[in-house]
Structure formats: structure tokens, C-alpha cells
Amino acid sequence: MFDIMVKDARMPRPKRIGSRVVWDRLKIESSFAALPDGDEDGGHNPFDDTEL
């Protein structure tokens, strides 16, 4: 999932230092904080309405 998020620019791209690929921790934290919280629908879970 992280690789997908890098490809669609929701997460920062890595930097290459020599032969190593590294990410800036502060940029990752900032990008993560900018993601939606997941409760845009008021926290409603559609499975709560399902009767068993």
C-alpha cells in the first residue's frame, strides 16, 4: 500500500543516497497527517446495519 501511495503522490518519493533508498521521516509524517481520518461519513459503518 505504501508503494501505491508513493506512486499516486499521497506519500513522498524516496531519495537515493549511494546505493540506498531512504525516506525523509518528517515528510512522511507530514504526508500521513494530511491524509483523511477515515471518519468523513460521521464514523458510520455500513455493516452496523446488517442483521445476522
Side-chain angles (χ1 to χ4, degrees):
M1 185 67 187
F2 185 78
D3 290 336
I4 293 169
M5 295 175 80
V6 170
K7 285 181 184 177
D8 67 19
R10 287 182 285 170
M11 288 290 145
R13 295 185 54 80
K15 295 183 182 239
R16 186 165 294 277
I17 300 175
S19 63
R20 298 190 183 258
V21 176
V22 296
W23 276 264
D24 182 325
R25 179 184 60 85
L26 298 177
K27 286 184 180 180
I28 290 176
E29 288 178 3
S30 176
S31 296
F32 184 79
L35 292 173
D37 287 333
D39 60 357
E40 294 81 32
D41 63 353
H44 178 71
N45 181 345
F47 292 105
D48 290 342
D49 300 329
T50 304
E51 292 185 29
L52 300 175

